[in-house]
Amino acid sequence: RHRADLAAAHVVVSPSRFLAGQFERAGFRPAADCEILLYGYPGALHPPRRRDPAAKLRVGFVGGIYASKGVLVLVRAFRHLRGEPVGLTVHGHLDWFPDYAAELRREAAGLDVTFAGGFAREDAERVLSGLDLLVVPSIWYENMPITIYEARRHGIPVVVTDLGGMAEAVEHGVSGLTFPRGDDVALAERIRALVHDSALYDRLAQNRPPVVTLEEVVNRLERLYSSPR
């Protein structure tokens, strides 16, 4: 049924080349036939952050608190960062999967890790403005995480798992840093590098790719709808 529905569509839109490739591998539709269209983001584009070597690096996670999001990998990375001027704040609802949340709290005992809970959509600007670095440590593919581009809109560098849509969004050492799936030691090394190398931090912030606006996405969609097929 999925193959028939997609074959009947005049246009198929995907927010990542990765997802289009997965659809092709599943026999749904050739990736070359898909229109790649990133999400659009409302709000101002903030200037790139600069690293203050004398300040503690404020690392954040923003998203769902469940196993596939890899929050445990991030918390465990902070075991290897004891004594470093770096702290982690986890933003997300802790009551969705209470057993997983309890495991996170056990792993975080004695570490500079704060669980801030969920927040309203209108508080996103406040949450992101309180971070210096966003980590997306998912252990599943992801498609094209919204938080990566929200961080970029705020001028914040990102560290992500080298997998799926996350890897597509980040060029390692240029527009962010990547690490192998589930490797908390490697993740700690990436964070430590940004703690101590302010030039690297500043370069990653400056090299953010363009952030697509909501207006640009709407204009592109309107052109797709109006184009003859």
Side-chain angles (χ1 to χ4, degrees), residues 98-173:
D99 291 344
Y100 186 69
E103 183 180 10
L104 291 175
R105 290 190 185 279
R106 288 193 297 271
E107 293 284 343
L111 303 177
D112 191 349
V113 176
T114 301
F115 294 95
F119 59 91
R121 182 66 187 89
E122 57 267 23
D123 290 331
E125 292 282 330
R126 174 188 57 80
V127 167
L128 288 164
S129 67
L131 303 178
D132 301 311
L133 176 69
L134 181 80
V135 178
V136 183
S138 297
I139 58 176
W140 66 357
Y141 283 130
E142 295 288 356
N143 176 15
M144 185 54 68
I146 289 173
T147 51
I148 291 177
Y149 285 89
E150 284 281 17
R152 285 174 170 165
R153 188 171 68 82
H154 283 78
I156 304 168
V158 294
V159 177
V160 306
T161 306
D162 186 11
L163 190 70
M166 297 171 288
E168 179 179 330
V170 175
E171 184 178 357
H172 180 70

Side-chain angles (χ1 to χ4, degrees), residues 151-210:
R152 285 174 170 165
R153 188 171 68 82
H154 283 78
I156 304 168
V158 294
V159 177
V160 306
T161 306
D162 186 11
L163 190 70
M166 297 171 288
E168 179 179 330
V170 175
E171 184 178 357
H172 180 70
V174 177
S175 60
L177 298 178
T178 63
F179 69 98
R181 175 184 183 270
D183 191 336
D184 55 285
V185 174
L187 175 54
E189 290 172 354
R190 305 297 189 269
I191 296 171
R192 183 179 289 108
L194 294 170
V195 168
H196 296 290
D197 190 343
S198 56
L200 172 62
Y201 179 97
D202 293 349
R203 184 171 73 250
L204 297 181
Q206 289 281 348
N207 288 342
R208 64 181 175 188

